[in-house]
Amino acid sequence: GRTQMQEPEKQVGDDENTLITNGQDLSVDDVSTLYPQVGPYFSDGHRRVDYVLAYHIQKSVNIRRRSSRFSDNNFIQGLRRSLSMRSSRAPLQPKEDPEIAAQEQRTNYHEDDKRFRREEFEENLLETGLELERDERCKIPGIGFLKIHAPWNVLCQEAELMKLKMPTKKVYDVKQGSNVVEKIRLFIHKVTAPLHPKVDANRQDSIKSLSHPFSREKQHLTRCTRAKYSMGITSLLANGVYSSAYPLHDGDITEANAESNDRKLLYEEWASYSVFYKYQPIGLIRKYFGEKVGLYFAWLGVYTQMLIPAAIVGVIVFLYGCATVDDNIPSMEICDSRNNITMCPLCDRACSYWKLVTACGTARASHLFDNPATVFFSIFMALWAVLFMEHWKRRQMRLNYIWDLTGLGEEEKVRHQDGSLFDLRTTGEKVKLTCTDRLPAYLTTVMMMCFLILVTFAIVFGVILYRISIKAALHVSTYPTARSNIRATVKTTAAIINLIIIIILDEIYAAIARFLTNLEVPKTDKSFEERLIFKTFILKFVNAFTPIVYLAFFRGRLVGRPGNYLYVVGSYRMEECAHAGCLMELCIQLCITMLGKQLIQNNLFEIGIPKLKKLLRKRKSELDCKEEEELSKTLQRHEKDHLLGPFNSLNPEYMEMIIQFGMVTLFVASFPLAPLFALLNNIIEIRLDAKKFIMELRRPIAARAKDIGIWYNLLRGLSKVAVIVNAFVISFTSDFIPRLVYQYMYSPDGTMHGFVNHTLSYFNVSDFQPNTDPLQPMHLGYKVEICRYKDYREPPWSSTPYELSKEFWAILAARLAFVIVFQNVVMLMSDFVDWLIPDIPKDISLQIHKEKILMVELFMKEEQVKRLAARDHHYQDNCTLPLSVPQSPPQARSRPISHTNCC
């Protein structure tokens, strides 16, 4: 019969604690007297809570107006009430405010509508075989809970539909590979044994069970255990019918019972900072959170592990720069005051002439990052990125084999219908959109994305104007402290402003990307997630790297020359690089952006925001600390988990690591210490994420996945782009190519002596445009007639004054040639490494092939046993027939049958 639900006339605000079963509603108070409440179970103490739905309960003193959907006599009751009030001789009462009454009526209607949809949804749940229990007398005011239990037969049916692989009773020996790579891997595994977490101590790596898609017909062959059952309620959550939905954590980490072992073990062996040097318990993470979360932390572990050699080489390159700074001839020439080189003003009017020797500190610091070892490090990082991708593919394939995901198909699931046994859209028709219907949304998305990118460019241009104006202001300042170190002040403050803008725009762009993706109405969950990730990545990538790209490739190149400078927005003269180049400023911007994003956006936000929310909850609570602690001890598991933060997705975690990967690879030629900072951050990041997943977030729904999806394509694209970017950084941003050209083409003795003078052009101060010459021309104590500026141009006494010289074109040709050669050589080496390393380890491919053979043999043996059993049963029946029964004549058979066993 139809399941009896709660009567519609009963108020939602009433205290209810009801066990919903097929045919009756049973009070939990009645059941709790028979069975104790222990752990995350139903009130009978036997059925485990697999899933919890929470919803708001509106408490009201007045009797709520009933919706016409639940009662047909509202009009008659209202008429009777009005007549009785008219016939009464009591004095008139103040009239109710019509606006308040209308607002309350709308609120009541919406609440009744949500209640009706919940009841309809729960009826569908019961029809699929799920068991429900409602709890509205919890200790959290205004919140009701619907506890869901999935019986064994429902789990079996769903597992069969999902083709979920289950281990069989058949086990086999796993033979380790005998090649050199496998021997090295096993040796490293033995050496690093103390670094492995103390989990799965009884697990034997040399034995593995055969796995096969679950089938109720072959259930006797499998070793099935109860798993968490999940269901999709995306549309109901979006419409506010339910406020949250989540599976339960196993228990508190302070409990010592067996039920909380996994959570407690994860906290001790994964989330604790005391085990930061150990490997992650990936198998236990997958068991507790599912394959999708397990793959993320496995990828993060591989990425962090691969950062160790990159950090070591980066530190060596940096130390090489420190060791050779005193032997660097160009910086020694800049620091030599005997050269007495007078430079042209850095800005109009306010700036005066200056000595090149004052740039000594910047020149020496630039050598730390701009030296011959930088080219080697760029090639190394390009190959490192390829090795990282190959290593991850092999690690991913090994996990797929261990987790029985090798045959997992990419089954598309319709969005808002997460593969559950029922349709989530209980009311309304499914909307089918054609390409014509989606075209306006696509155009809106493209236009909005272009507009946001232009906004990012405009903001970066605003920071450029800030640098120009603040530099001029500091030059005219009367404070000696302000004038002492203008370049460092401008660089640092501008980098900090860029960092603040990046952090703010990241949050705004994430919300806009989700809004634009919703406009497109993708057909599947996978399509929705990929489009959202791609939009968010494009916006955040442009936001983070636009200031860096400007410093690397545009600053100092769109300047002009003395007497003919390029001006923007009226009288703002474009910025020039220091004499040692823009590489030092690029390094400062990268350092501040990278460290700032990691410390503020990634770590401080992940620690500070949950602490702040918890503090605000405590301030709103009327209980003191002791009372709140006592109350926390009495809360049930589903109530404790409701107080935790919701788990949204892994996209923010992946996104911050992808942006960091871009910082490490794209401009590593200008900042060799980037891998070291990324390594230190990731060591902390892993433990922060672990603690957040275990202690501060609700348990996510376990989701199957065999790879990291679109993130791998983004990583691969960044590694390809990094080769091109580093080629241009070495060629155009650093002085590597000009030094080579000078040494082998223009140096009289084949050394770097005279390189600084070769890079400086001459300018006659009489050729200044009106109102652009310095206000204090005698700032150096003598009259300046010729000043120098960094460029390759003809001198004023030549036949073509201030025109680009032949040295400029020779260096430009060498730069372009270097880009082409560097890009092709590194790409060729990368492709060779990619081809050399197989995606699937040889031992894994052999084991997969062996599993298929053993599985066929197992089923053939089972069928043979069935046939023999059926034949023996048939023969036994024939032997026990009465003698009076006439025997039918024997049938012709293909082979003789022995009856010796009949007796």
Side-chain angles (χ1 to χ4, degrees):
R2 187 76 172 172
T3 303
Q4 180 182 353
M5 297 295 295
Q6 176 189 354
E7 295 180 1
E9 287 78 17
K10 187 178 291 185
Q11 297 181 28
V12 178
D14 292 345
D15 289 337
E16 296 179 4
N17 211 343
T18 307
L19 180 64
I20 306 175
T21 59
N22 289 329
Q24 60 179 351
D25 288 0
L26 185 62
S27 173
V28 169
D29 291 336
D30 298 334
V31 180
S32 61
T33 59
L34 302 175
Y35 303 99
Q37 295 187 16
V38 180
Y41 294 94
F42 275 21
S43 299
D44 57 11
H46 293 285
R47 289 174 293 177
R48 183 182 178 88
V49 178
D50 294 310
Y51 207 74
V52 172
L53 304 178
Y55 54 91
H56 292 289
I57 304 174
Q58 185 175 2
K59 300 289 184 179
S60 178
V61 178
N62 299 327
I63 297 177
R64 181 172 300 154
R65 296 180 175 87
R66 296 179 178 86
S67 173
S68 60
R69 177 178 293 180
F70 301 98
S71 178
D72 297 331
N73 58 353
N74 286 342
F75 176 74
I76 299 176
Q77 291 178 357
L79 182 61
R80 288 177 180 175
R81 188 161 51 248
S82 62
L83 291 175
S84 63
M85 291 178 62
R86 288 185 181 180
S87 59
S88 176
R89 295 182 181 180
L92 293 175
Q93 299 295 329
K95 293 184 178 180
E96 186 179 6
D97 191 339
E99 294 184 1
I100 298 177
Q103 183 178 1
E104 183 180 355
Q105 186 175 4
R106 286 194 298 269
T107 303
N108 294 338
Y109 172 79
H110 289 304
E111 290 299 323
D112 289 340
D113 178 69
K114 292 178 181 178
R115 184 181 65 173
F116 174 78
R117 296 183 66 180
R118 281 198 300 269
E119 291 174 352
E120 186 179 11
F121 181 74
E122 291 164 9
E123 287 182 1
N124 292 340
L125 293 181
L126 290 171
E127 288 178 357
T128 60
L130 299 177
E131 298 175 3
L132 314 178
E133 183 179 82
R134 186 182 293 111
D135 181 8
E136 293 187 354
R137 292 194 300 181
C138 62
K139 297 179 178 63
I140 303 177
I143 298 294
F145 295 97
L146 182 70
K147 295 180 279 187
I148 303 175
H149 169 78
W152 179 255
N153 60 332
V154 176
L155 290 176
C156 291
Q157 179 184 354
E158 189 72 0
E160 191 169 11
L161 291 174
M162 296 171 61
K163 299 181 179 179
L164 186 66
K165 275 194 172 183
M166 301 296 296
T168 65
K169 298 176 182 178
K170 175 70 175 177
V171 297
Y172 68 97
D173 294 332
V174 178
K175 295 182 179 180
Q176 303 294 338
S178 58
N179 56 8
V180 178
V181 176
E182 290 303 320
K183 289 182 179 179
I184 294 175
R185 189 181 67 84
L186 291 175
F187 174 76
I188 295 175
H189 182 80
K190 291 180 181 179
V191 171
T192 59
L195 303 180
H196 291 275
K198 298 177 181 179
V199 296
D200 296 334
N202 299 324
R203 176 170 164 253
Q204 298 181 4
D205 295 334
S206 60
I207 297 177
K208 187 179 184 298
S209 298
L210 287 177
S211 298
H212 186 265
F214 180 82
S215 173
R216 282 173 285 186
E217 296 178 355
K218 295 181 174 59
Q219 186 175 342
H220 61 283
L221 295 176
T222 59
R223 295 181 296 171
C224 301
T225 56
R226 184 178 182 83
K228 293 291 181 183
Y229 181 75
S230 61
M231 57 209 65
I233 55 163
T234 312
S235 59
L236 297 178
L237 288 172
N239 294 325
V241 178
Y242 290 100
S243 59
S244 57
Y246 50 91
L248 297 181
H249 281 289
D250 282 351
D252 293 328
I253 61 172
T254 56
E255 297 176 2
N257 54 15
E259 185 181 18
S260 62
N261 266 349
D262 284 349
R263 192 183 186 194
K264 184 177 182 181
L265 194 58
L266 279 172
Y267 181 80
E268 294 174 350
E269 296 293 333
W270 184 40
S272 176
Y273 290 105
S274 61
V275 294
F276 74 93
Y277 59 92
K278 287 188 175 183
Y279 291 99
Q280 301 179 86
I282 297 299
L284 188 59
I285 297 171
R286 174 252 182 176
K287 176 185 175 184
Y288 193 80
F289 293 109
E291 285 84 358
K292 196 168 187 178
V293 176
L295 279 175
Y296 164 71
F297 283 103
W299 173 83
L300 182 57
V302 170
Y303 172 47
T304 304
Q305 185 180 4
M306 288 294 293
L307 281 173
I308 296 176
I312 293 174
V313 177
V315 171
I316 292 174
V317 170
F318 177 76
L319 293 178
Y320 170 81
C322 296
T324 58
V325 65
D326 292 331
D327 300 328
N328 184 38
I329 296 176
S331 60
M332 292 171 59
E333 290 183 347
I334 293 175
C335 297
D336 190 356
S337 58
R338 293 174 297 177
N339 291 329
N340 195 25
I341 299 176
T342 303
M343 302 296 294
C344 296
L346 297 175
C347 63
D348 293 343
R349 305 297 286 174
C351 303
S352 186
Y353 307 105
W354 57 285
K355 291 290 186 178
L356 181 61
V357 69
T358 58
C360 175
T362 305
R364 291 174 63 86
S366 297
H367 179 73
L368 302 179
F369 306 99
D370 186 7
N371 54 70
T374 303
V375 181
F376 158 76
F377 189 55
S378 300
I379 299 175
F380 170 81
M381 288 303 295
L383 298 178
W384 172 88
V386 177
L387 289 173
F388 163 59
M389 304 298 291
E390 293 301 316
H391 180 36
W392 166 243
K393 282 194 293 186
R394 292 170 63 86
R395 172 65 171 161
Q396 182 176 261
M397 195 62 207
R398 190 174 295 277
L399 291 177
N400 285 341
Y401 166 72
I402 296 173
W403 296 348
D404 296 322
L405 298 173
T406 52
L408 179 63
E410 294 294 335
E411 300 176 359
E412 288 282 337
K413 302 174 184 178
V414 179
R415 194 177 172 220
H416 304 313
Q417 189 176 354
D418 300 338
S420 59
L421 300 177
F422 45 85
D423 192 351
L424 303 176
R425 284 160 285 189
T426 55
T427 58
E429 298 180 354
K430 299 179 183 178
V431 181
K432 294 183 179 179
L433 297 179
T434 63
C435 295
T436 307
D437 298 327
R438 290 191 176 94
L439 185 58
Y442 292 153
L443 293 177
T444 302
T445 299
V446 173
M447 293 174 62
M448 192 67 180
M449 293 279 288
C450 294
F451 172 73
L452 293 175
I453 293 174
L454 291 176
V455 169
T456 305
F457 291 163
I459 293 174
V460 172
F461 184 71
V463 177
I464 294 172
L465 295 182
Y466 159 80
R467 276 203 290 244
I468 297 172
S469 58
I470 199 69
K471 183 186 294 184
L474 291 176
H475 273 290
V476 298
S477 175
T478 58
Y479 294 98
T481 306
R483 296 173 59 109
S484 61
N485 205 348
I486 296 176
R487 281 187 177 273
T489 303
V490 174
K491 294 175 189 176
T492 307
T493 55
I496 294 174
I497 292 173
N498 275 324
L499 171 64
I500 295 173
I501 292 173
I502 288 171
I503 293 175
I504 294 174
L505 289 182
D506 270 354
E507 303 301 321
I508 298 174
Y509 286 167
I512 294 176
R514 178 169 290 274
F515 170 75
L516 293 176
T517 308
N518 285 325
L519 283 181
E520 297 176 4
V521 194
K523 292 181 179 181
T524 63
D525 280 329
K526 183 180 178 181
S527 176
F528 176 84
E529 186 176 16
E530 289 181 351
R531 294 186 187 190
L532 176 62
I533 290 171
F534 184 73
K535 292 181 182 64
T536 309
F537 171 75
I538 291 296
L539 293 176
K540 289 193 174 184
F541 181 85
V542 172
N543 181 38
F545 287 96
T546 299
I548 299 172
V549 170
Y550 164 74
L551 288 175
F553 303 124
F554 294 98
R555 183 177 178 182
R557 287 165 181 79
L558 304 175
V559 177
R561 60 170 180 82
N564 189 21
Y565 283 113
L566 177 64
Y567 294 90
V568 293
V569 193
S571 59
Y572 287 95
R573 197 178 100 185
M574 288 299 292
E575 299 177 284
E576 297 181 52
C577 292
H579 178 77
C582 287
L583 201 66
M584 191 62 197
E585 295 188 33
L586 176 61
C587 177
I588 293 174
Q589 180 68 56
L590 266 172
C591 182
I592 292 179
T593 302
M594 189 173 183
L595 292 179
K597 280 178 68 66
Q598 291 178 353
L599 294 177
I600 299 176
Q601 193 173 24
N602 299 349
N603 297 336
L604 186 60
F605 281 7
E606 291 184 4
I607 298 174
I609 291 180
K611 297 290 184 184
L612 183 61
K613 290 181 178 179
K614 189 175 182 180
L615 181 62
L616 291 176
R617 282 200 302 265
K618 287 185 178 180
R619 292 181 65 89
K620 290 181 180 179
S621 176
E622 298 178 355
L623 304 175
D624 56 18
C625 295
K626 292 184 178 180
E627 293 175 341
E628 187 171 353
E629 185 177 352
E630 292 296 327
L631 177 63
S632 177
K633 293 180 180 179
T634 61
L635 291 178
Q636 298 184 38
R637 183 73 263 158
H638 62 276
E639 295 171 331
K640 291 180 179 179
D641 285 4
H642 185 268
L643 298 177
L644 300 176
F647 172 82
N648 296 319
S649 70
L650 288 169
N651 292 347
E653 314 296 335
Y654 272 115
M655 188 63 68
E656 65 184 59
M657 290 294 106
I658 296 297
I659 297 297
Q660 182 200 88
F661 181 82
M663 296 278 184
V664 169
T665 56
L666 288 179
F667 294 92
V668 72
S670 61
F671 191 37
L673 295 180
L676 175 64
F677 291 152
L679 174 63
L680 297 177
N681 171 80
N682 289 3
I683 292 174
I684 302 173
E685 179 76 19
I686 289 175
R687 307 305 161 182
L688 280 178
D689 286 346
K691 191 173 183 180
K692 179 175 66 174
F693 271 76
I694 294 175
M695 301 296 297
E696 297 172 0
L697 294 180
R698 297 170 189 156
R699 190 173 183 175
I701 299 174
R704 291 193 302 168
K706 63 184 301 182
D707 52 39
I708 61 175
I710 193 176
W711 299 109
Y712 180 82
N713 298 329
L714 294 177
L715 286 169
R716 195 168 185 84
L718 281 176
S719 62
K720 298 294 185 183
V721 174
V723 177
I724 303 173
V725 171
N726 281 296
F728 275 94
V729 168
I730 296 172
S731 180
F732 286 89
T733 308
S734 72
D735 282 339
F736 177 74
I737 299 299
R739 287 197 295 262
L740 285 180
V741 172
Y742 174 78
Q743 185 174 0
Y744 292 104
M745 290 184 63
Y746 299 103
S747 176
D749 54 359
T751 65
M752 294 302 297
H753 290 286
F755 171 73
V756 174
N757 186 67
H758 181 262
T759 60
L760 297 177
S761 298
Y762 295 88
F763 178 74
N764 193 332
V765 298
S766 61
D767 294 333
F768 272 122
Q769 293 181 354
N771 298 322
T772 61
D773 55 321
L775 292 174
Q776 299 178 352
M778 301 295 294
H779 173 71
L780 297 178
Y782 57 88
K783 184 179 179 180
V784 177
E785 296 182 354
I786 298 292
C787 64
R788 309 291 296 273
Y789 62 99
K790 188 175 182 180
D791 205 348
Y792 293 95
R793 292 182 179 272
E794 298 291 342
W797 53 81
S798 69
S799 58
T800 56
Y802 307 126
E803 293 293 328
L804 295 174
S805 62
K806 61 180 181 180
E807 289 86 354
F808 171 84
W809 299 110
I811 292 174
L812 179 61
R815 283 172 165 169
L816 295 176
F818 176 82
V819 169
I820 296 173
V821 172
F822 182 89
Q823 174 186 339
N824 286 277
V825 169
V826 175
M827 288 287 189
L828 182 62
M829 295 172 64
S830 302
D831 292 340
F832 176 74
V833 172
D834 191 359
W835 170 81
L836 189 64
I837 302 176
D839 295 344
I840 304 177
K842 187 176 180 179
D843 62 320
I844 297 297
S845 62
L846 293 176
Q847 297 298 338
I848 293 174
H849 181 68
K850 182 179 179 180
E851 269 198 10
K852 292 179 181 179
I853 297 175
L854 291 176
M855 186 60 64
V856 172
E857 292 178 354
L858 176 65
F859 286 133
M860 290 179 64
K861 184 178 181 181
E862 182 201 2
E863 292 297 327
Q864 185 179 5
V865 170
K866 284 183 178 180
R867 286 196 302 268
L868 290 175
R871 188 178 66 181
D872 292 343
H873 181 71
H874 177 70
Y875 297 155
Q876 188 72 24
D877 290 343
N878 290 339
C879 291
T880 57
L881 285 175
L883 295 177
S884 59
V885 179
Q887 296 291 329
S888 58
Q891 302 291 329
R893 296 181 181 270
S894 60
R895 60 181 178 179
I897 300 177
S898 174
H899 293 270
T900 57
N901 292 333
C902 297
C903 57

